[in-house]
Amino acid sequence: MGRAELLGGNMSTQDPSELWGRADGGSDLFQDLGWYHSNLTRHAAEALLLSNGRDGSYLLRDSNEQTGLYSLSVRAKDSVKHFHVEYTGYSFKFGFNEYSSLKDFVKHFANQPLIGSETGTLIVLKHPYPRQVEEPSIYESVRVHTAMQTGRTENDLVPTAPSLGTKEGYLTKQGGLVKTWKTRWFTLQRNELKYFKDQMSPEPIRILDLTECSAVQFDYSQDRVNCFCLVFPFRTFYLCAKTGVEADEWIKILRWKLSKIRKQLDQDDTIRSRSFIFK
């Protein structure tokens, strides 16, 4: 979860609703907030903002870590960042700021604040994503419906989907043949880690398939700080972040990705072995 740093500046004179003058917190209070999505999961928030949001879209949801802790999910170009919002019982804490009432908290967002994370990426919070979106009541008709005799049972119906688990930011990368260090823009989405010449480049220099990665770990072999490496059969990639916190965030999410990939591969192997036995 990112640590937010709020940068001052009034970019809008829009005044929020006067409904939220009290400081008694909890989910009941947030129900009046049109961009509060209560128990929406991290995965669902990322899917929602990436598929239907815009750069600067955001929503507030419950955090599954502890009572009184919420998550602000923000779309930043092609990734979604998550920041803690804490209700202490008498105030709301976000970044380095504290608000004595929900009214003050919402007014801060009405002024479109600028937010920065450990990666140095600056995001203007411009578009609150609504909890209620009008949808058509239209359904397709089933014209063909048949079943293949594969031998699979209900035990093989394991719901699976790759985690979006997005992250992006600048990292310094060591070259493969020439061991020089160059700063590149990295993006992580699903099971792919891409790096670009810079943030504005439309095409990646390379795409790394994390299903081929065997390990992610801190590295102390280079004459640099805040380094970590990704181990592939064909090469070990050495990367360095600006801060230890940022390096730790990259390592945590990459390791989490690898654990999910291995779990999925194990499930696929199990299904294939059952199909083989049936044949």
Side-chain angles (χ1 to χ4, degrees):
M1 190 75 68
R3 180 176 65 86
E5 178 180 357
L6 295 181
L7 307 178
N10 292 334
M11 304 179 65
S12 169
T13 57
Q14 177 186 1
D15 188 31
S17 170
E18 297 296 323
L19 290 174
W20 309 295
R22 63 193 189 277
D24 52 324
S27 297
D28 291 341
L29 180 143
F30 280 121
Q31 292 302 329
D32 289 331
L33 203 59
W35 41 279
Y36 170 60
H37 292 243
S38 62
N39 60 351
L40 189 74
T41 65
R42 180 185 180 116
H43 178 87
E46 291 182 353
L48 199 63
L49 293 173
L50 287 172
S51 64
N52 208 36
R54 296 174 282 174
D55 190 24
S57 293
Y58 62 91
L59 58 86
L60 186 68
R61 59 185 178 83
D62 295 343
S63 172
N64 59 1
E65 295 182 9
Q66 65 185 61
T67 304
L69 201 60
Y70 301 88
S71 294
L72 183 76
S73 300
V74 185
R75 176 167 176 175
K77 198 176 178 182
D78 295 325
S79 71
V80 175
K81 299 182 182 298
H82 306 271
F83 303 95
H84 276 150
V85 175
E86 181 184 3
Y87 176 64
T88 65
Y90 54 86
S91 66
F92 301 89
K93 289 184 176 181
F94 178 54
F96 297 133
N97 295 350
E98 187 169 0
Y99 307 90
S100 59
S101 69
L102 185 57
K103 175 184 175 181
D104 293 337
F105 177 70
V106 174
K107 186 174 182 179
H108 175 75
F109 281 86
N111 286 320
Q112 296 189 346
L114 190 67
I115 185 172
S117 67
E118 289 286 349
T119 62
T121 305
L122 298 178
I123 315 161
V124 179
L125 304 181
K126 296 180 289 188
H127 313 294
Y129 195 95
R131 180 171 66 248
Q132 300 294 334
V133 178
E134 186 174 351
E135 298 286 355
S137 297
I138 301 173
Y139 298 88
E140 298 288 336
S141 299
V142 176
R143 297 301 183 190
V144 178
H145 186 191
T146 186
M148 303 295 291
Q149 300 300 319
T150 63
R152 298 179 65 180
T153 69
E154 64 274 11
N155 295 327
D156 298 318
L157 293 177
V158 181
T160 61
S163 166
L164 295 173
T166 58
K167 187 172 177 59
E168 62 181 15
Y170 279 106
L171 294 170
T172 304
K173 184 186 75 69
Q174 186 188 66
L177 297 176
V178 181
K179 303 301 181 182
T180 56
W181 294 84
K182 293 183 179 180
T183 300
R184 299 299 187 210
W185 178 256
F186 282 77
T187 66
L188 173 64
Q189 192 173 60
R190 295 185 172 88
N191 295 334
E192 293 182 339
L193 180 64
K194 303 177 183 180
Y195 61 88
F196 303 75
K197 182 178 180 181
D198 54 46
Q199 189 175 0
M200 303 307 295
S201 298
E203 297 296 330
I205 297 173
R206 188 165 189 170
I207 301 175
L208 299 177
D209 184 355
L210 294 179
T211 62
E212 301 176 1
C213 182
S214 60
V216 178
Q217 58 198 29
F218 273 108
D219 181 80
Y220 304 98
S221 65
Q222 308 301 315
D223 189 21
R224 287 172 174 261
V225 295
N226 309 320
C227 288
F228 59 98
C229 64
L230 286 76
V231 181
F232 287 82
F234 54 89
R235 177 181 165 187
T236 297
F237 290 83
Y238 295 94
L239 308 172
C240 294
K242 288 184 178 180
T243 67
V245 172
E246 185 182 348
D248 188 57
E249 287 183 359
W250 275 105
I251 290 172
K252 283 181 178 178
I253 193 167
L254 286 167
R255 283 179 173 173
W256 185 84
K257 287 272 190 182
L258 294 188
S259 69
K260 297 302 177 183
I261 289 171
R262 288 164 185 159
K263 183 178 180 180
Q264 180 63 56
L265 292 175
D266 289 342
Q267 290 177 346
D268 293 343
D269 288 342
T270 300
I271 292 174
R272 279 194 295 268
S273 64
R274 287 175 179 171
S275 299
F276 179 79
I277 292 172
F278 177 80
K279 291 178 182 179

